Each structure stands twice: as structure tokens, then as C-alpha cells.
Amino acid sequence: MIILGIETSCDETGVAIYSGAQGLLAHALYSQVDLHARYGGVVPELASRDHVSKLLPLVQEVIDKSGIKSGDIGGVAYTAGPGLVGALLVGATIGRALAWTWGVPAVAVHHMEGHLLAPMLEDNPPAFPFLALLVSGGHTLLVEVEGVGRYRLLGDSIDDAVGEAFDKTATVLGLGYPGGPALAALALDGIPGRYRFPRPMTDRPGLEFSFSGLKTFALNTWNASGKTQQDRADIARAFEEAVADTMVIKCRRALQQTGLSSLVIAGGVGANRRLRERLSTLMQELGGNVYYPRAEFCTDNGAMIAYAGYCRLRAGQHESLSIKAIPRWSLEELPAVDAG
Ligand code: KG4
Ligand code: ZN
């Protein structure tokens, strides 16, 4: 079965073709970073309009690159949520329409399920069950994963998502949008230990996260500093250390609580090198395994949507002719897919 995957939930237009027999055949991404940079964040209306103009040419490009014909496509998977409703509607409408034109089923994919399953596209995929740490611009989730669609939410952020905290702290430090990668690059020059940030909510039991205090702490530290480039780098370093430490503490707890020994890290912040290193060290210490998608499949992409859609379409799940866009959508609402 060959599936076309479409991702338009935020500021990247992603398209991919996944084959059950041959794996990922082609993928392409158009990032809107330049479009939103001058506003310091994603402008939803501009994002939707840009998806409208980029999506169909990108679909054509991916079909051409994959070497298949549109008639070979057996199903269309599109991101139905969570995300920006206007942006979601573009992918949902075009995805649904293409499926109708080709006479094949369409499936509405949960964006975070896409992230969660992205490591399955790599050579050494994780086996179920595993613990997933999903860290993106909109979510910070710890999920017990027993199979596709078998998700138990263990922890969530009570305020800002971790990617949002990276982006806001980057803004405090005068870095551009999107701030996460810029802050991570700057942290490389930071002197470790010069500043110490809190490790939020680690002093009490539980698996909830809170990150909004870190950006305030960064703001106060920045204002009290000499505002040199070294201060900036040292604050970035201290922020990143605090996030990584907090993740290590919460993952250790979640692994102990569930008895799981495999950890999957996915979502945009999963591209963060320090976080990867720290969590790899944790899993080495615990004698478990850690899995990440390649960096380009940590951030939003069409490949993860094609793969998640493949898992569901293969199991016979698909939508009616309606166009589905669900801006707020819990992972736990998803139907399970039988193994096999
Ligand atoms: O998964 P994603 O591409 O989009 C959402 O679903 O939100 O995640 C984007 C988030 C942004 O907040 C971005 O700053 C952050 O991931 N990010 C990073 C890194 N690369 C992307 N944060 C820290 N370090 C990175 N290397
Ligand atoms: Zn995402």
C-alpha cells in the first residue's frame, strides 16, 4: 500500500510518500520561517494562505521524485489536528479532494501521533511498549505507548510547552524566530554553571511540567546581567541545562512508574543535541534503549503523517467524505489499531 502524507498544521508544508513494501519513497518540506520571521512568530492567516499556494506543487514534486504515478497511491493521510484551524483546513481539504479524485480512502491523522511514530521510519525502530517524550512548540507530553492508538497520557505541561519556552526565552535574549535552534547554537558558547535556573516541579511527585517560569527567570537574569554576548550565551546554556535536567528527572520517574525500558523522544525540541545526550546517558545508566527520529523528522514533516496514516489505513480505518479539522484533540481519543 502506498500512502501520500500531507502536513499543514502550523508553519511547514510537508508532503511524503510511504510504501508499506519499500518504506519512505520521497518527501519534501517547505518551511515558512522567512515569511513569519519579521513578526517574531507564526501569523495564522499568512500560514494558511502560504499552504494554499505551496501544497499542490509540493505534492506534484514528491510524486515525481518517488518515481510512482498518482494511480499507484492507495490512500491519503492528512494532519487533521491539533494545530491552527485555517492551516489544518488547507491540508484536510486538499487531502480529502485528492483522495476523492483518485478514488482512494483518506485518513485524518493526529499530528502528535505522527511525531510519536516518526522513529519507526528509522533503521532501528523501537518495539512496543515504550515511553514517549513528545516535545514540540505546542506540546510537552509523556505518553505510555502500548501500540498504535494505545496511548496513556502520564504527564503534560500545565502552562507553556517546552518549545514555546525555548522560543520565548530566545526572544528575551534578542534571538530571531524560531528561537529554539538559535538558542541551542548560542548555548554551545555558554560557560556551564555560571547561572543556575530552577528545575520546575521536580521538587514534588508527579509527571506534570511547567515551563513558563523559566522564561521569566531568563528575563530577570538577563536584565540583571551586563547584557554582553557572553552573558547571553551563559543564560542560554543555563536555560538549556534546566530543561534537559527537568526532562531527565521526569523521564526517570515515568520509566520507574511504568516499568518500561525503551524511551522515544520526538517533536521539534527532540532535535536538541543536549537533550538527546542527557537522555541517552540516562538510558545507558538504566540499561534501556533510546530512540529518536533523524533531526529533520523531529520537526514537522510529511513523512511522519504518511507513516501514521499508513498504519491506520492498513488496519482498515478511514474517514467518510467529510473534511476533518480538529484544532484541539487529545491523543487518548484515538482509536486503537490492532497489532499485526
Ligand atoms: O514539532 P515542531 O516542528 O512543531 C510543532 O508541532 O510545534 O516543533 C517546533 C518547536 C519550536 O518551538 C522550535 O523552537 C523547537 O521545536 N526546536 C528546538 C530545536 N529545533 C526546533 N528547540 C530546541 N533545540 C532545537 N535544536
Ligand atoms: Zn509538530
Side-chain angles (χ1 to χ4, degrees), residues 30-101:
Y30 178 83
S31 170
Q32 301 179 352
V33 162
D34 293 343
L35 178 69
H36 302 292
R38 78 175 101 152
Y39 304 103
V42 180
V43 182
E45 181 59 22
L46 293 182
S48 316
R49 290 185 202 182
D50 205 57
H51 287 308
V52 170
S53 63
K54 297 298 182 332
L55 183 53
L56 275 174
L58 217 54
V59 168
Q60 189 61 56
E61 181 188 323
V62 168
I63 292 175
D64 293 344
K65 273 208 300 206
S66 69
I68 61 154
K69 296 185 193 61
S70 57
D72 299 327
I73 293 172
V76 177
Y78 62 84
T79 303
L84 303 171
V85 70
L88 290 168
L89 274 167
V90 178
T93 309
I94 293 183
R96 180 61 267 182
L98 285 173
W100 184 78
T101 311

Side-chain angles (χ1 to χ4, degrees), residues 12 111 115 135-138 163-164 166-167 178-181 184 267-269 271-273 298-300:
E12 334 258 7
H111 181 79
H115 277 305
V135 277
S136 72
E164 193 178 352
F166 263 94
D167 295 338
V269 184
N272 185 275
R273 292 264 285 282
C298 272
T299 43
D300 291 349

